[in-house]
Amino acid sequence: MRRLDIMGLVVAVLVAVPMVSSGAERLVQPVSIGGKPAGGRGAAKVDLERPVMRELHVEQIQKAIQKHLEADWNGRVKSVQVTVIEPAGPVPIPSGIIELQFPLLADEGGLGRRTFLMHVVVDGRLWKTMETLADTAATVDAVVPTRFVKAEEVLEADDVSLARVAITDLKHGYLTSPDAVIGKSAARSLQASTPLRAASRLSILVLVSTN
């Protein structure tokens, strides 16, 4: 009977050990990424040294360029339109406080398709400098006659108004202030709703004396 008791003790120990071992294995399983079961296919460990990335979208770049041009062309145009061509999709960038900066260059162009040099600043530090290709357009509020005006007829306040006009050059030549024409007469007849330029139909302005 003593021999059987010893055998029973040995069996009990062998059963207890696997139970402890099984519990220890569950504690060291890797974290599952992507919703797959831990320890199965697709299990991965988190890399704490790799920076967490986010995306800079085309719409954000487009808005930043637009604000840059609005500040640069302040007083010269009424509105600015920007369409980004490159990059065509989102740009991976590190997480943090993002700021897009556009250095002012001496040879910076005007309207049309142009390349912008863009500094991507993350948390106050320059992360990357990249080129962005975009189409730019602008509008101005130009002076237009509200009616047909005969040659040598004096223009009064009711004879002119402002109309939104698309421009192809920042040196467009349109008159943008009604005060520039009120009280003056044109050398030629003026069609209604035709934007007035200082160097065309109103190339010769005669100031009419009030006396």
Side-chain angles (χ1 to χ4, degrees):
M1 294 296 293
R2 178 178 299 179
R3 188 172 183 179
L4 291 176
D5 291 340
I6 296 175
M7 292 295 295
L9 179 60
V10 172
V11 171
V13 171
L14 291 176
V15 172
V17 170
M19 291 179 64
V20 175
S21 176
S22 178
E25 287 180 357
R26 285 197 295 271
L27 293 177
V28 298
Q29 291 295 330
V31 178
S32 177
I33 305 298
K36 296 184 179 181
R41 296 185 60 185
K45 295 182 180 179
V46 178
D47 186 356
L48 299 179
E49 296 182 357
R50 186 175 183 179
V52 180
M53 303 298 286
R54 59 185 294 189
E55 289 183 338
L56 177 63
H57 295 276
V58 174
E59 293 78 8
Q60 295 171 304
I61 298 175
Q62 188 167 287
K63 187 175 181 179
I65 295 177
Q66 182 174 342
K67 288 185 176 181
H68 164 67
L69 293 179
E70 287 174 347
D72 191 30
W73 297 341
N74 185 28
R76 302 171 64 186
V77 300
K78 190 65 177 180
S79 65
V80 178
Q81 299 82 42
V82 177
T83 303
V84 172
I85 301 172
E86 294 179 1
V91 178
I93 58 175
S95 292
I97 300 176
I98 308 301
E99 183 180 0
L100 303 181
Q101 299 177 353
F102 300 87
L104 296 177
L105 304 177
D107 59 347
E108 199 166 22
L111 297 171
R113 182 163 297 185
R114 49 182 291 195
T115 299
F116 294 88
L117 193 65
M118 182 175 68
H119 295 330
V120 181
V121 179
V122 181
D123 290 335
R125 295 184 178 182
L126 177 62
W127 173 71
K128 187 177 182 180
T129 298
M130 56 185 296
E131 289 186 347
T132 300
L133 183 65
D135 285 334
T136 61
T139 63
V140 297
D141 283 345
V143 178
V144 298
T146 58
R147 62 177 180 84
F148 176 77
V149 179
K150 298 178 182 179
E152 305 300 331
E153 187 176 358
V154 178
L155 294 171
E156 299 181 358
D158 294 339
D159 296 328
V160 294
S161 64
L162 294 175
R164 191 66 54 87
V165 178
I167 58 175
T168 57
D169 194 323
L170 292 176
K171 299 178 181 179
H172 49 80
Y174 289 118
L175 296 173
T176 57
S177 173
D179 293 337
V181 299
I182 294 175
K184 299 178 182 180
S185 61
R188 308 175 187 176
S189 60
L190 304 175
Q191 297 294 328
S193 303
T194 301
L196 303 182
R197 296 176 183 265
S200 58
R201 292 184 179 276
L202 286 181
S203 58
I204 304 178
L205 293 176
V206 181
L207 181 62
V208 179
S209 174
T210 56
N211 295 325

